Amino acid sequence: MDSLALLCTGALIAGGIYWFVCILGPAEQKGKRAVDLSGGSISAEKVQDNYKQYWSFFRRPKEIETAEKVPDFVDTFYNLVTDIYEWGWGQSFHFSPSIPGKSHLEATRLHEEMAVDLINVKPGDRILDVGCGVGGPMRSIAAHSRAKVVGITINDYQVSRARMHNKKAGLDSLCEVVQGNFLEMPFPENSFDGAYSIEATCHAPKLEEVYAEIFRVLKPGSLYVSYEWVTTDKYESSDPEHVEVIQGIERGDALPGLRNYADIAETARKVGFEVVKEKDLAKPPAQPWWTRLKMGRIAYWRNHIVVTILSALGIAPKGTVDVHEMLFKTADYLTKGGDTGIFTPMHMILCRKPEKKTEETSNS
């Protein structure tokens, strides 16, 4: 009897650990398991060193202003965080307003579908996803619109993940993923019927450069929509608490510097776009986008325990715990940014490439 009780107890403990790590741990879409966490394209023994290098970037502020260093910096960041994002958040690396009666997954999908609805594409049109990540938005948008979506991401590991997910979802005929820098895209002029970016162009050292590239590859008359990370009219640069929150968001999300909401339309016009519409999608009556972060605190501690155990056992690379802790601290800054209203991750701008360049634009 004692042996049987011991056996049953052991089985319960083993089952509990399996449930805790492999069932409870993964994100809503079950895209990644905790035991498969990695450093992306970075070898396991170099994850911790690359994490230290990432933070050293912020100890040399002048390098943040050096545009040629930013792509490698952003690439390192996404090697470090992609698996953790996918495991703990899902395949769409962005926020969306909460919708009463809808899950986070459903609210995210609707937020993505709105982007493609805004650019008025038809089935079979060829559209561009600027900064596609592992392709969560791409798949929602392709399934919703039946347009052919071409995504570009600087991170090679994300390319392989996105292609795998596209095939698994049966959408690889509509979804193509390209590795490249969105500041120098490998596409000819006038080759897309529309374009969108969802919380991605914030990684550009100069917004003008990425907007100019998008303008170049769009066909005349086509529309482009972007959800931008910006500081709002409530942000006061003279307020130390405001500054701390914004800098915390920048450090934890590989941003060379957050822009003010007022700069977005001006930049779009500067490169030749006509601004059709501009709106902060986070403003009321929209429900707070940061509630998911607040509600996720218990999940964070659960995940952090899992990551710590896996790292101690040598299953997850050294440095994974540091990266996970960094992301939790960043979540706190993002929550404060939302609570105070000084930051929004969804300042929407809808632009059109003119049918014909104006004389002023042509001569500029």
Side-chain angles (χ1 to χ4, degrees):
M1 191 69 179
D2 289 342
S3 297
L4 180 61
L6 187 62
L7 183 63
C8 290
T9 301
L12 284 171
I13 293 173
I17 292 172
Y18 176 80
W19 175 80
F20 191 74
V21 175
C22 298
I23 305 300
L24 187 63
E28 290 171 288
Q29 295 190 41
K30 303 295 187 291
K32 194 75 181 181
R33 297 186 307 160
V35 292
D36 294 327
L37 294 178
S38 73
S41 299
I42 301 170
S43 60
E45 65 272 12
K46 293 184 178 179
V47 168
Q48 195 161 47
D49 288 342
N50 274 262
Y51 171 76
K52 292 176 181 177
Q53 289 171 14
Y54 172 81
W55 275 104
S56 71
F57 190 82
F58 290 102
R59 288 194 285 272
R60 298 190 295 274
K62 288 186 178 180
E63 290 193 12
I64 298 176
E65 301 169 8
T66 307
E68 63 269 17
K69 291 184 179 291
V70 173
D72 285 342
F73 162 67
V74 174
D75 185 39
T76 296
F77 173 77
Y78 278 111
N79 273 322
L80 293 171
V81 306
T82 289
D83 277 356
I84 294 177
Y85 274 2
E86 199 174 331
W87 170 56
W89 191 261
Q91 295 172 20
S92 294
F93 298 174
H94 63 81
F95 297 103
S96 61
S98 297
I99 302 176
K102 300 285 186 181
S103 68
H104 295 308
L105 191 61
E106 291 172 313
T108 296
R109 177 180 54 79
L110 292 171
H111 192 55
E112 293 164 351
E113 291 176 355
M114 181 176 65
V116 73
D117 288 343
L118 284 167
I119 59 175
N120 297 330
V121 297
K122 306 180 299 295
D125 280 352
R126 187 169 182 258
I127 61 175
L128 177 65
D129 182 329
V130 184
C132 66
V134 298
M138 170 191 294
R139 287 181 288 280
S140 294
I141 283 170
H144 175 68
S145 68
R146 307 311 294 179
K148 295 182 178 179
V149 187
V150 179
I152 185 169
T153 173
I154 198 167
N155 186 260
D156 190 60
Y157 181 67
Q158 290 188 337
V159 171
S160 64
R161 294 294 297 170
R163 288 174 178 169
M164 183 272 292
H165 286 307
N166 292 345
K167 187 174 182 179
K168 187 177 180 180
L171 292 166
D172 47 331
S173 63
L174 290 177
C175 299
E176 178 186 348
V177 190
V178 176
Q179 192 276 330
N181 184 348
F182 60 30
L183 301 177
E184 299 176 299
M185 292 191 281
F187 310 121
E189 294 182 5
N190 308 322
S191 56
F192 288 97
D193 299 298
Y196 65 89
S197 54
I198 299 179
E199 303 182 26
T201 55
C202 51
H203 292 299
K206 293 182 180 178
L207 189 62
E208 180 181 344
E209 293 179 354
V210 65
Y211 275 13
E213 268 293 272
I214 295 165
F215 185 91
R216 179 183 69 80
V217 302
L218 276 178
K219 295 177 181 177
S222 298
L223 292 167
Y224 163 60
V225 66
S226 182
Y227 298 165
E228 293 285 348
W229 282 31
V230 296
T231 56
T232 70
D233 55 355
K234 294 183 179 181
Y235 173 69
E236 296 289 345
S237 59
S238 58
D239 187 324
E241 291 185 9
H242 286 193
V243 172
E244 180 187 358
V245 168
I246 296 305
Q247 288 183 347
I249 293 172
E250 291 169 348
R251 288 192 300 268
D253 285 295
L255 306 181
L258 274 168
R259 300 169 183 95
N260 185 267
Y261 77 101
D263 298 331
I264 307 303
E266 181 183 350
T267 302
R269 293 189 182 99
K270 188 175 181 179
V271 304
F273 278 120
E274 297 170 352
V275 176
V276 178
K277 188 176 182 180
E278 191 176 16
K279 180 183 180 181
D280 182 1
L281 300 177
K283 285 188 174 180
Q287 297 294 309
W289 54 268
W290 60 95
T291 53
R292 186 177 178 186
L293 293 170
K294 283 186 173 181
M295 292 167 62
R297 286 182 176 272
I298 294 175
Y300 161 76
W301 288 113
R302 174 201 66 206
N303 291 354
H304 200 63
I305 291 169
V306 172
V307 169
T308 302
I309 292 171
L310 293 176
S311 183
L313 294 174
I315 297 172
K318 287 184 178 179
T320 307
V321 176
D322 294 327
V323 175
H324 194 261
E325 187 172 354
M326 173 190 76
L327 295 178
F328 177 67
K329 290 179 179 178
T330 306
D332 189 47
Y333 284 121
L334 286 163
T335 300
K336 290 177 180 177
D339 272 333
T340 58
I342 65 172
F343 164 78
T344 175
M346 52 191 75
H347 181 88
M348 185 277 290
I349 183 166
L350 179 64
C351 307
R352 178 184 287 109
K353 181 174 180 176
E355 290 284 355
K356 188 177 180 181
K357 290 183 180 180
T358 64
E359 184 177 347
E360 179 182 343
T361 305
S362 300
N363 295 332
S364 62

